[in-house]
């Protein structure tokens, strides 16, 4: 196809001067683009066909008629038969588009059909063809809006490789529109009805269009690391008028299928972070300096770190991976478990020199060099593992253990540039999972060192088994995740019991205080006989506690228990007239029933109940105007009162406890215990804590304990902490915890994944290095 007229050179400036006879490097990069695109698209199109059979079979089972069912089954057979042809035609078409771009040609944008309507001719478009065209255009348009940022960056970089072509009225070879057109062309010989073909397009949109984002990210990262426009200024609006607002990106991302989805804001932030990293790493080198500080020959270099002319050849990925594999074998054989953190840090920083020595031995050169892109990758991985060895979140033993993974992760970064660009990358998720598990580890919480052994097993497996198959990270992630789930379930049961015990204690304490307040409020202005006071503060208080725990403060039983106290206290007030004595006489049977019920609830035996009632009846006789009976019939009232007091301990044996349940001090604030002083900011921060966050507690004796905030009491506001086995470690008030945080005795561990925290720290370190040299730099 002829190139459009407007393929004029774009205003794009390469990062280094480009010599007229230096076409080898752009061609090499274009081949790399074709390789990455083919690998990604082959995986996506295979995923489409892997799910197509199930989709058509489900539709056939639910078909409303036999004819429709037959159509779905016929379509399934046709697609199985032509799957290989469709996949091959699709990949070949994309490859041809990239080849055209390398030759300076672009295909024009087309709408609707590829025949008359696309050429502007007046023709009738069949309804089926129009329906197909609209489906293709719609999914391409939505994808271009959703992926506008990545597409703009990719097309700018591809334009540089193609000598400055403009994409204004042309279709980029990897644009969603190009993918859709290539797939439509591959389906042209498919002998199915339009209904089946539209289902195929829908699955193409779900699997290929949605999954293309990872391909664009990998291509952009690969080209940026190769020095092709490492920094790109995004336009205010995306090319072709497609919106690129945050709202559009969030909406598009929200409807995407598949696991490990990331919001558009996160993707933009991640892209910006990687752009900053690329810029900061490049800024460390002086002008005219390339990999490992070697000066470039006159004329510069194209693509950052790839020399021209007679310069010393740079090792390719195969040579680097071979050297790294030898280093990895040495680490796997060495016993590094007992090394200190400082020793591990020194080894991490020395990996670059070890790698160069290994490359020199392999190549036979006196002094080895690597490209700037590879040097940046080596330095970035080195700084990642330096961060691990200095990360407060990780115990020292775990730091040293995870630091042994530097070589395998450097190999991953060379094999797959998406490691630093995608949070869902299996190697990245594995490291984050290992670090998250290690966060709550301590020797006290893991006495049999089971978790430490599980982490060590993962490290050893990677050191021994990982060559160039990145799938091993996914497999180890599944296995380690299953082990963590076993640990989690076991700890969850223990943690639940600890929380239930704490909740039970809180409820009991709250019930005791509520019962105490209810009793003492009524006794405050009353002066009943000592027998009655002891009755209310001992067995009846216990009965109130049980009712509160079982039925609650709003229950009829609790209200009846309070009403009994009011009636009992009234019954011992003076009765000056016949009416009050008559009321008392009518109330006594009700009081006896209520008293017996309550005393039986708190396990006071019937003989003891009878003795208590006899004592009470003796006290009621004077109030009813009756003469006392028994040996004290002729004694004075004072003598009878003293006799009753002497019989109290006999009449009131302990109900639930050997001591009265309501000592007066129980409901008064403890004035002897000074409340810890804490700032309002620290208290606000403590009150904002959520269950699940981890702390490290530092004792005065130098001991350290890691604990998770398991439960916050809704009654007292106390904070329950458990270790990773679910066992209780501490129980702290908000003010106490705030004071410990301010003094440094309690440190809140970060919840952000390790990889994200490391990248942020690396950016800050590189920024600081621009103004002040970092003596510990890579």
């Amino acid at each position: 196809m002829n190139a459009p007229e407007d393929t004029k050179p774009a205003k794009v400036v390469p990062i280094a001067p480009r010599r007229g006879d230096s076409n080898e490097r752009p061609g090499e990069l274009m081949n790399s683009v074709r390789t990455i695109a083919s690998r990604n698209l082959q995986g996506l199109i295979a995923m489409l066909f892997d799910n197509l059979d199930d989709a058509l079979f489900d539709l056939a089972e639910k078909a409303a008629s036999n004819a429709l069912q037959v159509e779905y089954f016929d379509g399934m057979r046709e697609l199985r038969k032509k799957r290989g042809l469709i996949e091959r035609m699709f990949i070949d078409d994309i490859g041809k588009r990239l080849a055209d771009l390398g030759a300076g040609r672009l295909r024009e944008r087309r709408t609707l059909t590829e025949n008359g309507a696309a050429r502007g001719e007046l023709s009738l478009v069949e309804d089926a063809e129009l329906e197909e065209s609209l489906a293709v255009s719609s999914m391409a348009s939505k994808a271009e809006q959703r992926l506008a940022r990545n597409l703009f960056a990719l097309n700018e970089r591809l334009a540089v490789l193609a000598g400055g072509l403009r994409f204004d009225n042309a279709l980029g070879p990897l644009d969603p529109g190009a993918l859709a057109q290539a797939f439509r062309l591959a389906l042209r010989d498919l002998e199915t009805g339009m209904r089946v073909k539209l289902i195929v397009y829908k699955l193409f949109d779900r699997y290929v269009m949605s999954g293309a984002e990872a391909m664009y990210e990998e291509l952009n990262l690969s080209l940026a690391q190769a020095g092709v426009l490492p920094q790109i200024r995004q336009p205010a609006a995306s090319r072709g008028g497609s919106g690129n607002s945050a709202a559009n990106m969030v909406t598009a991302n929200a409807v995407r299928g598949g696991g490990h989805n990331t919001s558009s804001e996160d993707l933009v932030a991640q892209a910006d972070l990687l752009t900053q990293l690329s810029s900061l790493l490049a800024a460390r080198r002086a002008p005219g300096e390339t990999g490992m500080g070697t000066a470039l020959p006159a004329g510069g270099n194209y693509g950052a770190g790839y020399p021209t002319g007679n310069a010393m050849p740079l090792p390719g990925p195969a040579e680097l991976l071979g050297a790294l594999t030898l280093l990895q074998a040495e680490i796997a054989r060495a016993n590094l478990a007992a090394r200190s953190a400082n020793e591990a840090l020194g080894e991490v920083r020395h990996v670059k020199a070890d790698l160069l020595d290994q490359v020199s031995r392999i190549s036979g050169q006196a002094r080895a060099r690597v490209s700037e892109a590879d040097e940046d990758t080596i330095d970035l991985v080195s700084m990642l593992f330096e961060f691990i060895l200095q990360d407060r979140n990780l115990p020292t033993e775990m730091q040293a253990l995870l630091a042994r993974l530097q070589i395998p992760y450097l190999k991953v970064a060379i094999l797959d540039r998406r490691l630093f660009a995608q949070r869902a990358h299996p190697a990245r998720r594995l490291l984050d999972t290992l670090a998250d598990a290690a966060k709550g580890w301590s020797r006290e919480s893991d006495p049999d060192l089971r978790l430490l052994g599980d982490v060590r097993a993962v490290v050893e497996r990677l050191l021994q088994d990982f060559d160039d198959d990145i799938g091993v990270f996914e497999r180890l992630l599944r296995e380690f995740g299953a082990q963590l789930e076993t640990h989690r379930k076991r700890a969850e049961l223990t943690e639940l019991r600890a929380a239930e015990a704490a909740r039970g204690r809180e409820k009991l304490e709250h019930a005791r205080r509520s019962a105490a307040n209810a009793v003492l409020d009524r006794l405050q202005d009353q002066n009943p006989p000592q027998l009655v006071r002891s009755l209310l503060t001992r067995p009846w208080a216990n009965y109130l506690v049980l009712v509160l725990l079982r039925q609650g403060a709003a229950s009829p039983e609790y209200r009846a228990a309070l009403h009994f106290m009011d009636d009992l206290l009234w019954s011992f007030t003076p009765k000056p007239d016949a009416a009050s004595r008559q009321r008392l006489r009518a109330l006594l049977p009700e009081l006896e029933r209520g008293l017996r019920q309550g005393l039986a609830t708190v396990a006071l035996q019937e003989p003891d109940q009878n003795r208590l009632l006899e004592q009470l009846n003796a006290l009621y006789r004077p109030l009813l105007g009756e003469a006392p009976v028994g040996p004290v019939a002729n004694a004075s009232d004072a003598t009878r009162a003293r006799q009753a007091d002497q019989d109290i301990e006999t009449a009131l044996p302990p109900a639930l406890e050997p001591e009265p349940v309501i000592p007066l001090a129980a409901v008064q604030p403890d004035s002897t215990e000074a409340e810890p002083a804490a700032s309002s900011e620290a208290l606000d921060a403590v009150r904002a804590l959520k269950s699940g966050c981890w702390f490290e507690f530092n004792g005065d004796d130098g001991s350290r304990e890691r604990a998770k905030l398991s439960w916050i009491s809704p009654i007292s506001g106390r904070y329950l902490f458990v270790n990773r086995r679910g066992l209780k470690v501490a129980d702290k008030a908000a003010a106490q915890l705030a004071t410990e945080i301010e003094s440094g005795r309690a440190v809140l561990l970060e919840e952000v994944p390790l990889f994200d925290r490391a990248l942020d720290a690396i950016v800050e370190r590189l920024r600081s290095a621009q103004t002040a040299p970092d003596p510990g730099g890579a």
Side-chain angles (χ1 to χ4, degrees):
M1 182 180 294
N2 294 328
E5 296 181 0
D6 55 354
T7 56
K8 297 177 293 185
K11 293 182 179 180
V12 178
V13 181
I15 66 168
R18 187 178 169 215
R19 302 193 307 183
D21 59 349
S22 177
N23 293 321
E24 179 181 354
R25 178 58 185 152
E28 180 184 341
L29 288 176
M30 190 62 76
N31 287 335
S32 175
V33 168
R34 187 180 299 111
T35 300
I36 293 173
S38 296
R39 171 167 45 81
N40 278 272
L41 292 174
Q42 283 172 352
L44 294 173
I45 204 74
M47 191 184 305
L48 181 157
F49 279 102
D50 289 344
N51 288 273
L52 187 56
D53 262 15
D54 291 340
L56 290 174
F57 188 83
D58 290 343
L59 289 171
E61 281 193 326
K62 300 173 184 177
S65 65
N66 289 336
L68 190 56
Q69 188 177 61
V70 169
E71 182 179 352
Y72 287 136
F73 281 129
D74 287 346
M76 189 188 309
R77 283 189 292 270
E78 176 73 5
L79 285 161
R80 284 177 181 173
K81 183 171 64 176
K82 294 186 177 177
R83 171 177 176 170
L85 176 63
I86 294 170
E87 290 180 344
R88 186 170 59 256
M89 289 181 63
F90 173 68
I91 298 299
D92 288 349
D93 190 276
I94 298 300
K96 290 176 183 176
R97 290 173 185 267
L98 287 169
D100 288 346
L101 176 66
R105 299 187 300 272
L106 286 173
R107 300 192 192 183
E108 294 179 356
R109 285 185 174 271
R110 291 175 176 269
T111 57
L112 297 179
T113 66
E114 293 190 352
N115 47 32
R119 295 191 297 268
E121 299 174 4
L122 296 176
S123 63
L124 294 176
V125 182
E126 295 183 1
D127 289 345
E129 190 174 0
L130 178 60
E131 191 174 5
E132 181 181 4
S133 298
L134 290 175
V136 171
S137 300
S138 175
M139 68 178 176
S141 176
K142 288 189 299 182
E144 285 184 350
Q145 290 184 16
R146 185 178 74 247
L147 304 171
R149 186 183 184 92
N150 282 328
L151 284 172
F152 175 81
L154 178 60
N155 285 333
E156 289 291 293
R157 292 181 170 111
L158 291 178
V160 173
L161 297 183
L165 288 180
R166 292 178 63 89
F167 284 75
D168 292 346
N169 297 313
L171 193 64
L174 295 173
D175 280 9
L179 302 182
Q181 285 187 8
F183 189 65
R184 182 180 184 182
L185 188 63
L187 295 182
R188 64 185 177 186
D189 294 329
L190 190 66
E191 297 177 1
T192 64
M194 184 52 60
R195 182 181 284 106
V196 171
K197 191 173 283 190
L198 291 177
I199 292 168
V200 177
Y201 282 128
K202 182 176 291 187
L203 292 182
F204 182 84
D205 188 21
R206 177 182 301 173
Y207 292 105
V208 180
M209 290 298 198
S210 295
E213 183 175 13
M215 176 182 70
Y216 297 142
E217 290 177 352
E218 181 179 1
L219 286 167
N220 274 315
L221 183 61
S222 177
L223 291 174
Q225 289 183 337
V228 182
L229 298 181
Q231 297 184 71
I232 291 180
R233 185 181 182 86
Q234 292 284 338
S238 62
R239 173 178 50 77
S242 60
N244 190 27
S245 68
N248 286 340
M249 296 177 76
V250 170
T251 302
N253 226 10
V255 299
R256 289 180 59 205
H260 309 294
N261 286 346
T262 310
S263 69
S264 294
E265 288 89 346
D266 285 344
L267 290 173
V268 172
Q270 193 80 348
D272 290 343
L273 182 65
L274 292 172
T275 300
Q276 291 180 58
L277 275 173
S278 179
S279 175
L280 291 167
L281 288 167
R284 299 184 308 166
R285 288 182 287 272
E289 188 177 272
T290 185
M292 302 307 180
T294 303
L296 285 173
N301 72 326
Y302 183 84
Y306 291 84
T308 59
N310 297 321
M312 183 170 53
L314 301 178
E319 290 88 349
L320 287 177
L321 290 173
L324 288 170
T325 298
L326 293 174
L327 292 177
Q328 180 177 316
E330 292 178 6
I331 295 176
R333 289 192 298 268
N335 180 16
L336 304 177
R339 62 181 179 167
S340 67
N342 287 334
E343 290 172 336
L345 187 59
E347 290 163 0
V348 164
R349 290 173 174 170
H350 206 257
V351 161
K352 181 193 288 188
D354 292 341
L355 176 59
L356 287 179
D357 290 343
Q358 199 66 252
V359 171
S360 295
R361 285 194 291 269
I362 294 174
S363 63
Q365 298 173 359
R367 183 186 179 192
R369 298 171 54 248
V370 297
S371 69
E372 290 179 5
D374 289 331
E375 181 185 6
D376 287 347
T377 300
I378 295 168
D379 289 345
L380 196 55
V381 174
S382 177
M383 286 185 279
L384 166 66
F385 281 88
E386 285 184 43
F387 176 85
I388 288 175
L389 284 167
Q390 298 166 344
D391 184 19
R392 180 65 182 267
N393 263 34
L394 298 176
T396 305
E397 295 93 330
M398 291 292 187
Q399 288 176 344
L401 195 55
L402 294 181
R404 300 185 67 189
L405 292 175
Q406 182 182 6
I407 299 298
Y409 272 79
L410 180 51
K411 291 172 69 174
V412 174
I414 292 173
L415 284 166
D416 189 353
R417 305 290 185 179
R418 291 176 297 180
L419 174 65
F420 290 98
Q422 291 183 345
R423 287 189 174 94
H425 194 286
R428 182 164 173 172
R429 288 167 51 214
L430 178 61
L431 189 59
D432 282 340
T433 302
L434 289 169
D436 190 60
K439 178 169 64 175
W441 181 87
S442 66
R443 288 189 174 271
E444 292 76 15
S445 65
D446 189 22
D448 55 358
L449 303 183
R450 181 174 300 177
L451 178 62
L452 185 67
D454 290 342
V455 175
R456 181 178 287 111
V458 173
V459 173
E460 297 296 342
R461 284 273 302 277
L462 282 174
L463 287 171
Q464 294 169 8
D465 299 347
F466 176 53
D467 186 14
D468 57 4
D469 177 18
I470 297 180
V472 69
F473 289 89
E474 190 74 55
R475 294 191 292 273
L476 285 173
L477 180 62
R478 285 196 302 267
E479 294 174 12
F480 185 68
Q483 293 168 342
L484 282 184
E485 184 66 13
T486 301
H487 292 315
R488 186 193 64 78
K489 288 180 178 179
R490 187 182 300 115
E492 200 173 61
L493 292 175
T494 307
E495 181 180 345
L496 182 61
R497 286 194 290 267
E500 287 296 331
R503 187 179 291 110
R505 287 192 299 271
E506 290 266 323
K507 289 178 67 177
L508 177 59
E509 182 63 23
H510 180 66
R512 283 175 170 169
R513 289 185 178 274
S514 297
N517 287 327
V519 172
L520 295 179
D521 284 347
R522 285 163 172 78
L523 292 176
Q524 185 175 5
D525 298 325
Q526 300 280 349
N527 188 26
Q530 183 61 35
L531 177 65
V532 175
R533 180 179 291 273
S534 296
L535 167 66
L536 293 180
T537 58
R538 292 179 65 180
W540 198 257
N542 283 338
Y543 174 63
L544 289 177
V545 170
L546 290 179
V547 173
L548 281 171
L549 292 174
R550 293 173 180 175
Q551 280 85 28
S555 64
E557 291 84 355
Y558 186 67
R559 289 196 297 269
L562 297 179
H563 186 63
F564 170 84
M565 288 195 297
D566 294 332
D567 287 345
L568 182 65
L569 290 172
W570 175 85
S571 69
F572 283 99
T573 58
K575 305 296 183 288
D577 51 46
S580 59
R581 289 192 293 271
Q582 183 62 32
R583 178 187 169 191
L584 174 60
R585 198 179 299 276
L587 183 62
L588 288 177
E590 183 178 342
L591 287 175
E592 181 178 352
R593 284 194 301 272
L595 184 60
R596 285 187 179 276
Q597 177 185 348
L599 295 179
T601 302
V602 296
L604 196 66
Q605 301 299 317
E606 187 172 358
D608 294 327
Q609 296 178 29
N610 294 334
R611 292 172 60 199
L612 175 60
L613 288 170
E614 288 175 5
Q615 294 290 334
L616 290 174
N617 286 332
L619 295 176
Y620 279 126
R621 289 183 182 280
L623 294 172
L624 294 171
E626 300 176 359
V629 296
V632 294
N634 298 321
S636 64
D637 290 345
T639 304
R640 289 197 300 271
R642 285 194 299 271
Q643 182 66 39
D645 288 344
Q646 293 172 1
D647 292 341
I648 285 177
E649 290 303 318
T650 303
L652 290 177
L656 290 182
E657 297 179 347
E659 297 297 330
V661 74
I662 311 178
L664 289 180
V667 293
Q668 301 298 329
D670 188 355
S671 59
T672 62
E673 182 181 349
E675 191 71 19
S679 66
S680 58
E681 292 82 1
L683 278 171
D684 290 342
V686 166
R687 293 188 181 110
L689 292 173
K690 303 295 183 185
S691 298
C693 60
W694 282 86
F695 277 82
E696 182 179 75
F697 294 105
N698 304 310
D700 296 334
D701 58 353
S703 62
R704 293 184 176 183
E705 181 64 60
R706 289 173 179 249
K708 182 179 72 171
L709 176 57
S710 173
W711 177 71
I712 304 173
S713 169
I715 298 174
S716 66
R718 294 186 69 85
Y719 292 72
L720 174 68
F721 292 90
V722 300
N723 62 21
R724 63 171 301 275
R725 296 171 63 196
L727 299 175
K728 178 182 174 182
V729 169
D731 181 8
K732 299 178 182 293
Q736 178 187 2
L737 181 58
T739 303
E740 292 182 1
I741 291 175
E742 286 190 314
S743 67
R745 286 177 291 152
V747 178
L748 177 64
L749 302 179
E750 294 190 62
E751 297 184 51
V752 178
L754 170 69
F755 225 104
D756 288 341
R757 289 186 290 110
L759 291 180
D760 289 337
I762 291 169
V763 168
E764 289 302 315
R765 170 179 168 177
L766 292 173
R767 283 176 178 165
S768 301
Q770 289 182 338
T771 56
D774 183 0

